[in-house]
């Protein structure tokens, strides 16, 4: 990997304004046009567009700045350095792990690169129930197109790896469609370590696309810097209090204050509501932090007769939405089927079992295939999501109850995945459930799964997609923010991340975040500067920032 050019190192050598951690002391105070909290999907798109409008931008990121030179395809490195709480974030009752990025680029640096447009039925629901006419399928089409062009999002053209081939082969044998995924990659080496940071810069994450563009235009990036509190004066934010932190999250120096004309919160669902809660912002309808969704995810592992080596090759290449279409959107919970990378730490931790069970899994590891089912929460009264709360130290935790409605979906998803795996030729299959066993036939597995008790803790459920908590809506009675991302009660505050989703979406959310952020940030740039900006268009030089500041 030594021959790979590291664009982050090159940018730092060019003089990027990066402060915090090893990059130099943070300021005692800072004034700018717009401060953006976070550096992930919503923050990155917003940073590029506002910087192109000539605005003086400051980006605040709690995690470190890591780059391809640091990404060594090692789980022990990646989870500790790049994920929230070292990869150990869980719901309040510890029943579900919650994977989120904590580094420059946020979750876009560590996701598996699947890029789906928001399903049309989800957008229609938002229009009908939340009055979001701006989010209809036709209205969103140009935003999706703009983002897809900027981030090289297109159909994956390489043959799927053996793990994805299990899903496709089994689904097709059962008459179920299993199309190819679109991915945000360019010159991909097909290594399979997307979740550990891309060592070749092929994944078009915010780390290598929009954040560098903003920095080239004069933005300031502050890393290992926690946004602690927004100061409210009347109906305006007057400042953002920030805390320098070490890599482990402990305090690394005195707090400092950033002042700006406008404040954009884009720290992701869970962290964005928590910041606003710590700040005591108006919440007249008790909506802040509520209806936070996870796409509760269940898994099934199969031992195949052929080697799978599911750690190699693009982890996401094939999917099926068949089981999202078999009932009304607000009926019995539907689920999307995908594959998961079969890295040892990830697989052994998330598939359940201990002791002898794990020993047996390790022996068959090279032949193991993993399918996952992502449950679409948020559309039924019994799938209302969770609530973000604050611990005594001000840090966030998500209380997300697992009820019978979700567990019924878990059982049905297990049945679907197991049938597909046997149809693909599996020797044995084990759904991720603490009382499940290795089943040698579809008939045996079906009878056993129907008899298993589906309860929290013994039913292994995880999540990688966190959405909601600061819902957008056409009225303040239904939303924390307006359709353009502007806070309903605070004049100079916007939210540009997945927390604005009023439901989950039934798909991997990164492309939805990108498109909504592009829509919102383009409008914000117009309001602040009267300038029209576009992703990928010629940039306004950094020297124009002073003129924009005076506008």
């Amino acid at each position: 990997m030594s021959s790979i050019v590291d664009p982050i190192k090159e940018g730092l050598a060019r003089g990027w304004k990066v402060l915090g951690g090893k990059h130099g002391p943070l300021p005692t105070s800072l004034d700018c046009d717009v401060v953006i909290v976070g550096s992930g999907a919503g923050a990155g798109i917003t940073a590029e567009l506002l910087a192109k409008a000539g605005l003086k931008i400051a980006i605040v990121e709690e995690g470190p700045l890591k780059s391809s030179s640091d990404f060594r395809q090692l789980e022990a490195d990646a989870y500790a350095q790049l994920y929230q709480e070292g990869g150990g974030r869980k719901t309040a009752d510890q029943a579900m792990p919650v994977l989120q990025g904590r580094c420059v680029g946020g979750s876009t640096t560590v996701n598996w690169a699947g890029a789906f447009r928001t399903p049309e039925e989800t957008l229609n629901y938002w229009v009908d129930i939340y009055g979001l006419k701006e989010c209809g399928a036709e209205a969103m089409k140009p935003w999706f197109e703009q983002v897809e062009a900027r981030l090289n999002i297109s159909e994956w053209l390489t043959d799927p790896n053996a793990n994805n081939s299990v899903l496709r082969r089994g689904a097709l044998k059962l008459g179920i469609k299993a199309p190819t995924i679109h991915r945000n990659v360019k010159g991909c080496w097909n290594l399979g370590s997307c979740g550990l940071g891309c060592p070749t810069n092929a994944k078009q994450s915010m780390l290598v696309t929009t954040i560098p563009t903003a920095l080239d235009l004069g933005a300031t990036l502050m890393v290992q810097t926690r946004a602690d509190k927004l100061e409210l004066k009347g109906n305006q934010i007057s400042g953002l209090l920030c805390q320098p932190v070490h890599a482990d999250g402990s305090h690394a120096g005195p707090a400092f204050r950033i002042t700006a004309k406008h404040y954009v919160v884009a720290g992701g669902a869970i962290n964005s509501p928590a910041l606003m809660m710590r700040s005591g912002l108006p919440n007249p309808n008790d909506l802040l932090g509520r209806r936070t969704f996870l796409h509760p995810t269940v898994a099934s592992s199969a031992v195949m007769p052929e080697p799978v080596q599911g750690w190699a090759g693009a982890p996401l290449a094939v999917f099926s939405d068949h089981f999202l279409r078999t009932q009304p959107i607000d009926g019995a919970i539907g689920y999307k089927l995908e594959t998961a990378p079969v890295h040892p730490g990830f697989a052994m931790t998330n598939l359940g079992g201990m002791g002898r069970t794990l020993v047996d899994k390790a022996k068959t590891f090279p032949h193991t295939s993993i399918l996952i089912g992502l449950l679409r929460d948020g559309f039924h009264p019994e799938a209302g999501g969770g609530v973000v709360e604050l611990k005594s130290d001000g840090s966030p935790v998500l209380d997300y109850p697992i009820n019978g409605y979700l567990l019924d979906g878990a059982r049905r998803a297990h049945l679907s995945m197991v049938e597909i795996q046997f149809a693909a030729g599996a020797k044995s299959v084990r759904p991720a459930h603490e009382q499940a066993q290795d089943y040698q036939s579809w008939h045996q597995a079906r009878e056993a799964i129907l008899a298993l008790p589906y309860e929290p803790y013994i039913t292994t459920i995880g999540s990688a997609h966190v959405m909601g908590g600061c819902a957008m809506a056409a009225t303040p009675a239904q939303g924390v923010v307006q359709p353009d991302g502007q806070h309903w009660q605070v004049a100079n505050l916007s939210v540009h991340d997945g927390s604005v989703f009023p439901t989950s979406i039934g798909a991997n959310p990164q492309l939805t975040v990108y498109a909504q952020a592009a829509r919102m940030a383009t409008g914000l740039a117009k309001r602040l500067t009267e300038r029209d900006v576009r992703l990928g268009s010629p940039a306004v030089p950094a020297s124009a920032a002073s003129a924009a500041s005076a506008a």
Side-chain angles (χ1 to χ4, degrees), residues 305-326:
E306 74 279 3
V308 175
Q309 298 178 343
W311 56 83
L316 281 185
V318 174
F319 72 100
S320 177
D321 280 348
H322 174 81
F323 299 99
L324 288 177
R325 308 282 189 259
T326 52

Side-chain angles (χ1 to χ4, degrees), residues 41-172:
I45 295 291
T46 298
E48 176 173 315
L49 287 167
L50 297 187
K52 284 185 172 181
L55 291 161
K56 183 180 179 183
I57 305 299
I59 304 165
V60 176
E61 169 56 54
E62 183 176 355
L65 174 59
K66 298 290 183 179
S67 64
S68 53
S69 299
D70 304 300
F71 301 150
R72 301 189 297 155
Q73 299 179 276
L74 296 176
E75 290 183 278
D77 287 351
Y79 301 143
Q81 297 178 15
L82 306 177
Y83 285 78
Q84 291 286 348
E85 301 178 33
R89 174 168 278 185
K90 292 193 175 186
T91 52
D93 61 3
Q94 304 293 295
M96 279 195 284
V98 181
L99 293 178
Q100 288 182 296
R102 181 182 176 268
C103 56
V104 174
S107 294
T108 75
T109 298
V110 295
N111 68 22
W112 303 343
F116 297 88
R117 292 190 181 188
T118 321
E120 190 167 334
E121 61 265 32
T122 299
L123 294 176
N124 291 339
Y125 189 91
W126 290 1
V127 172
D128 294 343
I129 304 301
Y130 295 93
L132 295 169
K133 63 182 186 298
E134 300 86 348
C135 296
E138 282 303 309
M140 287 303 301
K141 184 178 178 181
W143 300 111
F144 287 127
E145 291 173 346
Q146 184 182 151
V147 167
E148 287 164 350
R150 174 67 178 92
L151 302 177
N152 209 61
I153 294 172
S154 59
E155 186 175 357
W156 179 245
L157 298 178
T158 302
D159 289 339
N161 70 0
N163 193 32
N164 281 266
S165 295
V166 170
L167 173 56
R168 170 165 285 174
R169 187 168 68 247
L172 293 180

Side-chain angles (χ1 to χ4, degrees), residues 474-491:
T475 67
Q478 288 183 292
V480 174
V481 301
Q482 301 173 42
D484 63 1
Q486 171 79 41
H487 194 282
W488 272 108
Q489 288 82 34
V490 182

Side-chain angles (χ1 to χ4, degrees), residues 175-515:
I176 294 170
K177 293 181 179 179
T180 302
I181 278 174
H182 284 61
R183 309 183 74 233
N184 59 316
V185 295
K186 188 175 183 179
C188 180
W189 289 28
N190 206 18
L191 297 174
S193 55
C194 304
L196 311 178
C198 179
T200 67
N201 303 303
K203 181 165 56 175
Q204 299 298 283
S205 68
M206 302 299 93
L207 174 66
V208 299
T209 56
T210 58
I211 296 297
T213 296
L215 291 170
D216 280 335
L217 291 170
T220 298
L221 171 63
M222 287 164 281
V223 299
Q224 293 180 221
T225 303
R226 179 179 298 137
D228 266 347
K229 183 179 181 182
L230 293 158
E231 297 178 311
L232 184 66
K233 187 175 182 180
N235 72 335
Q236 299 261 347
I237 302 298
S238 60
L240 172 68
L241 294 180
C242 296
Q243 174 63 58
V245 294
H246 293 294
D248 64 1
S250 60
H251 287 191
F256 67 99
R257 188 169 182 263
I258 301 174
T259 54
K261 295 179 178 64
H262 200 89
Y263 298 77
V264 176
V265 175
I270 297 182
N271 288 344
S272 287
L275 171 60
M276 298 162 73
M277 293 167 71
R278 284 196 302 271
S279 305
L281 299 191
N283 183 25
N285 296 301
D286 194 27
L287 298 173
L288 182 61
R290 297 186 177 276
R291 290 186 59 79
T292 301
F293 305 105
L294 289 178
H295 278 165
T297 302
V298 296
S300 179
S301 63
V303 178
M304 306 302 296
E306 74 279 3
V308 175
Q309 298 178 343
W311 56 83
L316 281 185
V318 174
F319 72 100
S320 177
D321 280 348
H322 174 81
F323 299 99
L324 288 177
R325 308 282 189 259
T326 52
Q327 60 279 316
I329 194 170
D330 56 354
I333 198 164
Y335 42 92
K336 187 183 195 79
L337 297 186
E338 296 179 349
T339 59
V342 193
H343 296 302
F346 180 84
M348 293 295 186
T349 302
N350 290 292
L351 290 179
M354 60 181 65
R356 185 69 200 178
T357 299
L358 291 180
V359 172
D360 292 340
K361 285 181 181 178
K363 289 179 179 178
T364 59
F365 198 70
H367 288 255
T368 297
S369 165
I370 299 177
L371 303 189
I372 55 175
L374 291 73
L375 307 180
R376 180 176 58 187
D377 47 350
F379 297 90
H380 187 278
E382 294 184 60
V387 179
V388 176
E389 299 172 339
L390 296 180
K391 301 177 185 177
S392 59
D393 64 357
S395 62
V397 64
L398 176 63
D399 183 9
Y400 189 105
I402 299 174
N403 59 20
Y405 177 81
L406 295 174
L407 289 165
D408 172 70
R411 188 193 302 269
R412 288 186 292 108
H414 278 158
L415 287 167
S416 299
M417 291 186 289
V418 168
E419 184 176 14
I420 286 171
Q421 287 168 319
F422 276 119
K427 294 169 61 178
S428 66
V429 177
R430 178 192 286 256
H433 186 293
E434 291 299 332
Q435 294 185 12
Q437 299 177 14
D438 292 322
Y439 305 117
Q440 276 68 46
S441 72
W442 162 231
H443 175 76
Q444 180 193 28
R446 182 179 182 276
E447 294 302 311
I449 292 170
L450 290 173
L452 284 172
Y454 272 69
E455 300 171 359
Y457 303 109
I458 62 171
T459 307
T460 303
I461 304 179
S463 172
H465 302 152
V466 192
M467 301 154 282
C470 296
M472 58 179 169
T475 67
Q478 288 183 292
V480 174
V481 301
Q482 301 173 42
D484 63 1
Q486 171 79 41
H487 194 282
W488 272 108
Q489 288 82 34
V490 182
N492 63 339
L493 175 66
S494 297
V495 182
H496 290 187
D497 61 21
S499 69
V500 303
F501 298 177
T503 66
S504 71
I505 63 171
N508 305 49
Q510 71 163 333
L511 180 50
T512 300
V513 179
Y514 293 145

